[in-house]
């Protein structure tokens, strides 16, 4: 390995969150979920198509911010193998793999324009999450429609 190959591409952060093992090409969708860069005063670093042990991956580093449960659930829907690293004083304080929820509420909009969840009724969207095969499938609690592609486009 040459000196250039050993060089760090993105600097370490003192405090914040590193989202690692994001499905290659999904980092920009993660930024959208987090409302970045608009909602951050700290540095946001993005690595796209980095070489990892298991192929290509994306990485997002956000200084001075820790994610809430809703943000992590949304990330799990678009990148089920992502890991969340909480950084404090330049050290990993905690690390965990995202958990794909079995049910989500108020996170995704139904693709059926006639679904009651898309009406003016005071109803929150609800979906069951099927993880039996390789691909995630979200089934609307109200009308039964399934979202299996481009889930990020339907996130609220």
């Amino acid at each position: 390995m040459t000196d250039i190959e050993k060089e760090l591409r993105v600097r370490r952060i003192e405090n914040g969150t590193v989202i690692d093992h994001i499905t290659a090409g999904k980092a920009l969708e993660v930024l959208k979920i987090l409302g970045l860069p608009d909602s951050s005063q700290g540095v946001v670093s993005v690595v796209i198509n980095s070489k990892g042990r298991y192929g290509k991956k994306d990485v997002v580093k956000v200084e001075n911010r820790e994610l809430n449960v809703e943000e992590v659930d949304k990330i799990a829907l678009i990148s089920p193998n992502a890991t969340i690293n909480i950084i404090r004083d330049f050290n990993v304080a905690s690390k965990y793999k995202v958990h794909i929820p079995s049910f989500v509420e108020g996170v995704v909009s139904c693709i059926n324009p006639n679904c009651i969840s898309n009406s003016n009724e005071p109803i929150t969207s609800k979906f069951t999450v099927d993880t039996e095969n390789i691909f995630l499938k979200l089934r609307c609690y109200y009308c039964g429609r399934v979202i299996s592609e481009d889930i990020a486009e339907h996130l609220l």
Side-chain angles (χ1 to χ4, degrees), residues 66-134:
E66 294 185 15
L67 309 185
N68 64 44
V69 173
E70 184 178 290
E71 291 169 330
V72 173
D73 284 350
K74 287 180 180 181
I75 291 169
L77 294 176
I78 64 163
S79 187
N81 295 315
T83 56
I84 309 296
N85 300 280
I86 305 302
I87 310 298
R88 296 191 184 118
D89 296 322
F90 293 105
N91 294 307
V92 177
S94 64
K95 178 177 184 171
Y96 58 93
K97 190 176 181 321
V98 296
H99 168 74
I100 302 168
S102 59
F103 185 82
V104 291
E105 186 172 347
V107 173
V108 179
S109 64
C110 185
I111 59 172
N112 177 2
N114 296 321
C115 180
I116 193 166
S117 66
N118 288 325
S119 68
N120 291 330
E121 297 294 325
I123 298 211
T124 302
S125 66
K126 298 178 184 180
F127 287 83
T128 56
V129 181
D130 174 11
T131 58
E132 287 183 26
N133 58 27
I134 297 172

Side-chain angles (χ1 to χ4, degrees), residues 15-71:
N15 296 296
T17 303
V18 176
I19 308 160
D20 198 0
H21 305 288
I22 300 168
T23 303
K26 299 286 186 180
L28 297 180
E29 292 175 7
V30 169
L31 293 177
K32 183 177 177 183
I33 288 169
L34 301 178
L36 296 171
D38 296 340
S39 67
S40 179
Q41 298 299 319
V43 173
V44 176
S45 303
V46 179
V47 178
I48 297 176
N49 290 329
S50 175
K51 289 182 184 178
R53 284 186 198 156
Y54 307 107
K56 291 183 178 181
K57 68 176 183 174
D58 291 358
V59 180
V60 173
K61 292 184 177 187
V62 184
E63 282 188 334
N64 303 319
R65 178 162 172 202
E66 294 185 15
L67 309 185
N68 64 44
V69 173
E70 184 178 290
E71 291 169 330

